[in-house]
Amino acid sequence: MNSFVLKLFAASFMLIDHIGILFFPEIMIFRILGRISFPIFAFLVVEGFMHTRNIKKYILRIVVFGFISEIPFNMLVSGHILCRENQNVFFTFAIGLVMLWFLRNNVVPMYTNLIVAVGVLLAVLLRTDYSLYGMALIYFFYMFRESRIKYIFFVLVSLLYGGVQRAALLSVVPLWFYNGKVGPEFTHKNVIKYGFYIFYPLHMLILFGIKKII
């Protein structure tokens, strides 16, 4: 299973989750299936970090789409343009990528814990989506990227987080069969790459618009 297929899986389950938030908040199956999405995206962010040619551009792209997505995200979760309670998941990924950059360039082992602690603290203080849970997954997916043991840590983090987030364990199945490949040739094009970025704010705007109409 290549990264393109993983992105399709993650985007599909995210859509299911957001449909549940807006239209069927009392039906838990939407939220349960939606938990599959984030771990896959977190995994792919780490893969992107490992293979990108320009980490600064990668982080900048994530931050830019974070700002673009903030109003649609606020409207989805609160119904208002402004919401101080949560920031969208792009900001979690941006902080995670900066943390990974420092970890990769860190030559003093004793600083590792400090780097991770600062990253987690930033995510928590800024109230980014999945903050502590998200940073933990990004860290373990990176530190044990060459070993299947990363999935054990993923399972433990999800179980400790508790609640409906335990359903995220279902994402182990597609992640386990990841083959390390990008996908067919057409998936290398910018229109596909940026399509997934654009899908995040766009689908939230469309769903919110439909909610207002009906």
Side-chain angles (χ1 to χ4, degrees), residues 13 17 19-20 34 58 73 89-90 99 115-116 123 128 157 190 192 203 212:
F13 286 113
D17 185 42
I19 289 174
Y58 187 30
F73 176 77
V89 74
F90 272 125
M99 178 185 73
I115 293 169
V116 175
T128 64
V157 170
N190 284 335
I192 300 297
H203 89 276
K212 283 297 184 180

Side-chain angles (χ1 to χ4, degrees), residues 15-122:
L15 178 60
I16 291 171
D17 185 42
H18 292 168
I19 289 174
I21 290 174
L22 281 179
F23 302 102
F24 309 102
E26 73 285 354
I27 303 178
M28 284 303 297
I29 189 62
F30 286 89
R31 306 311 312 281
I32 290 171
L33 291 175
R35 299 312 95 209
I36 299 173
S37 177
F38 179 81
I40 298 177
F41 277 129
F43 178 87
L44 291 171
V45 163
V46 175
E47 285 292 294
F49 174 80
M50 296 304 302
H51 297 103
T52 185
R53 298 175 184 175
N54 191 321
I55 184 58
K56 292 181 181 178
K57 286 186 177 180
Y58 187 30
I59 294 173
L60 178 61
R61 184 164 63 246
I62 295 290
V63 170
V64 168
F65 275 94
F67 282 108
I68 291 173
S69 303
E70 189 60 17
I71 289 178
F73 176 77
N74 290 341
M75 293 166 67
L76 177 81
V77 299
S78 71
H80 303 286
I81 292 177
L82 297 177
C83 177
R84 297 180 180 179
E85 297 303 315
N86 294 100
Q87 318 307 324
N88 74 78
V89 74
F90 272 125
F91 292 116
T92 306
F93 293 148
I95 295 171
L97 285 169
V98 173
M99 178 185 73
L100 296 187
W101 184 87
F102 276 104
L103 287 174
R104 184 167 66 182
N105 292 280
N106 174 39
V107 294
V108 184
M110 64 179 292
Y111 288 165
T112 297
N113 291 337
L114 177 61
I115 293 169
V116 175
V118 171
V120 170
L121 184 62
L122 277 175

Side-chain angles (χ1 to χ4, degrees), residues 108-166:
V108 184
M110 64 179 292
Y111 288 165
T112 297
N113 291 337
L114 177 61
I115 293 169
V116 175
V118 171
V120 170
L121 184 62
L122 277 175
V124 171
L125 290 178
L126 293 176
R127 299 178 179 180
T128 64
D129 206 17
Y130 292 99
S131 56
L132 176 58
Y133 176 76
M135 297 300 289
L137 291 195
I138 291 170
Y139 173 75
F140 287 123
F141 283 152
Y142 172 72
M143 293 301 293
F144 300 97
R145 59 192 178 278
E146 302 296 335
S147 171
R148 296 282 188 178
I149 197 174
K150 59 178 173 284
Y151 300 121
I152 296 176
F153 284 107
F154 163 47
V155 169
L156 291 175
V157 170
S158 299
L159 289 175
L160 288 172
Y161 198 80
V164 71
Q165 197 58 42
R166 292 172 181 168

